[in-house]
Amino acid sequence: MAAILAAAIGAPIAGFVSEMKGQPMTSTGARVPFLHGFPIGPSAGQNALASLDRANEWLNSPALTSESLRGKVVLVNFWTYTCINWRRQLPYVRAWHEKYKDQGLVVIGIHAPEFEFETNTANVRWAAEDMKVDYPVAVDNNHTIWRAFENQAWPALYLIDAQGRVRHSFFGEGSYEQSEMVIQALLREAGATSVSDKPVTVDARAHEAAPDWANLKSLENYVGFERTENFASPDGVLRDKPRLYRPPAQLSLNEWALSGEWTVKRDAAALNKAGGSVTYRFHARDLHLVMGPAVRGSPIKFRVLIDGQPPSSARGVDVDEQGYGTVTEQRMYTLIRQPGPIADRQFEIEFFGSGAEVFAFTFG
């Protein structure tokens, strides 16, 4: 899936987000033969790094400043923990941190939330631990650092040289070897010796597995009324009020529907009574769902079906072969991972208790 492009950011969360179609974008000022572009003036990078002083909180590290980072090569990675695009990029960022941290590279994750629950630092701290993010993380709940970098996407990479100048940026997934070559070039420029020119190798599995681009015909879709598309339950959405929804007789590709009593909010659909379900017709190897219990610490059991049957070998890592799982945290759940062949399929998730909130579908 392409990167998420933020068209307008308002405190505390993105006010409007749409999906960036096509190839990820890159710019660079590193003077190496395989790259093209224009250097960004040193004041831009220095001003951007200075915004680190305005982080809400730091995880895994004392607060870092532009002055304390002078002389280091810095990789700034904008992320939000429910973003599937970032989850698939993470193995590379993690590997670069491990490989180059003793040669002068400092990796900083800037957690800029998309959903309201991602502004909860306890959630971010849990996610960082669960996802093995052990490099410094600046919590950017008000998108102050995001705006200083004039950032546009989750995920985004910025490489800053030892003088504090932004020399390379990349938005979205992919181009990992190119980005690593820039890291190597900037480390050598900063005086590091014996910098390996071999790229890292990663063994990405579960939530971090690379997508099946060739079979990906379903794009990210939100469930809340502000940004949803292709909602197919008869009579449409009743905003911010309970309604008994029912599915249509048939769904077309990339349409979805609710069944049961739900309240559809701006950014989520909240289940009011047990037994409610969500159906989605999709075409992709993987189906992920951002969801969680409305009340922290109140797990909710659920079951997923694919074409009316238990997923069996098509199950994702968050369900068993019969499709049973439990919503325990507000996060992204991998519910379907098909071994093939890939075709149009109908997904259904039924919740056995009230209180579930469903935010967004993503695919891979």
Side-chain angles (χ1 to χ4, degrees):
M1 192 184 313
I4 307 302
L5 180 67
I9 294 293
I13 61 173
F16 176 82
V17 178
S18 61
E19 190 163 28
M20 183 174 70
K21 309 301 191 297
Q23 294 299 315
M25 301 179 293
T26 183
S27 66
T28 184
R31 298 179 182 276
V32 286
F34 54 88
L35 294 172
H36 304 277
F38 300 94
I40 298 174
S43 61
Q46 290 166 352
N47 289 339
L49 278 182
S51 67
L52 295 177
D53 294 341
R54 301 179 66 185
N56 298 91
E57 190 170 343
W58 283 85
L59 308 180
N60 302 332
S61 169
L64 300 177
T65 66
S66 56
E67 287 303 313
S68 68
L69 293 167
R70 183 57 63 95
K72 300 287 188 180
V73 175
V74 181
L75 186 159
V76 170
N77 181 212
F78 283 89
W79 64 295
T80 188
Y81 78 82
T82 60
C83 176
I84 182 57
N85 309 98
W86 171 77
R87 290 299 302 269
R88 297 189 294 232
Q89 183 188 74
L90 175 60
Y92 293 89
V93 176
R94 192 191 292 124
W96 294 334
H97 166 65
E98 289 299 323
K99 182 177 179 180
Y100 299 110
K101 64 183 179 182
D102 294 331
Q103 295 177 291
L105 178 69
V106 178
V107 175
I108 303 176
I110 310 296
H111 187 272
E114 179 175 14
F115 298 108
E116 183 70 37
F117 65 80
E118 291 176 297
T119 66
N120 184 328
T121 304
N123 286 347
V124 181
R125 186 177 290 108
W126 167 84
E129 182 177 350
D130 183 71
M131 300 170 191
K132 298 179 174 58
V133 177
D134 58 3
Y135 45 80
V137 171
V139 176
D140 187 29
N141 280 346
N142 301 318
H143 295 88
T144 303
I145 304 171
W146 175 292
R147 284 191 289 268
F149 274 83
E150 298 183 356
N151 188 50
Q152 300 179 63
W154 295 282
L157 297 176
Y158 293 85
L159 283 166
I160 301 170
D161 68 16
Q163 284 72 51
R165 299 172 297 186
V166 175
R167 297 283 292 276
H168 174 80
S169 60
F170 189 85
F171 306 138
E173 301 178 56
S175 197
Y176 300 117
E177 188 168 346
Q178 182 194 47
S179 294
E180 186 170 3
M181 291 174 73
V182 178
I183 293 172
Q184 295 165 355
L186 294 181
L187 288 173
R188 294 188 188 102
E189 184 181 287
T193 59
S194 303
V195 178
S196 170
D197 59 1
K198 295 182 179 179
V200 297
T201 58
V202 302
D203 182 19
R205 302 184 182 186
H207 304 90
E208 299 177 352
D212 180 2
W213 294 112
N215 287 298
L216 186 54
K217 297 181 181 180
S218 293
L219 301 178
E220 181 171 41
N221 196 3
Y222 296 86
V223 175
F225 64 75
E226 184 177 66
R227 291 182 278 173
T228 194
E229 296 180 349
N230 303 321
F231 182 64
S233 286
D235 301 322
V237 168
L238 181 63
R239 298 185 175 194
D240 291 320
K241 294 181 179 180
R243 168 179 277 180
L244 187 63
Y245 290 90
R246 56 189 175 88
Q250 185 174 342
L251 290 175
S252 298
L253 180 62
N254 295 323
E255 287 186 336
W256 72 281
L258 294 172
S259 178
E261 187 178 307
W262 295 80
T263 299
V264 180
K265 305 176 183 178
R266 179 184 59 81
D267 64 347
L271 180 61
N272 300 318
K273 294 182 179 179
S277 64
V278 188
T279 54
Y280 204 113
R281 189 134 185 105
F282 75 105
H283 188 115
R285 183 196 66 195
D286 303 341
L287 181 146
H288 315 280
L289 184 55
V290 178
M291 59 181 178
V295 178
R296 189 179 180 88
S298 300
I300 302 163
K301 293 184 178 181
F302 64 85
R303 189 185 192 189
V304 304
L305 301 174
I306 185 167
D307 291 339
Q309 300 297 320
S312 187
S313 62
R315 70 183 183 93
V317 296
D318 290 306
V319 296
D320 63 21
E321 291 186 352
Q322 294 301 309
Y324 291 101
T326 304
V327 174
T328 51
E329 299 90 17
Q330 294 168 313
R331 64 174 175 90
M332 185 198 78
Y333 292 75
T334 297
L335 303 177
I336 298 294
R337 173 156 292 158
Q338 301 181 72
I342 309 304
D344 293 2
R345 307 285 189 191
Q346 186 133 320
F347 166 86
E348 180 180 359
I349 180 169
E350 179 184 3
F351 296 94
F352 300 135
S354 62
E357 291 184 323
V358 180
F359 293 85
F361 284 89
T362 58
F363 304 92

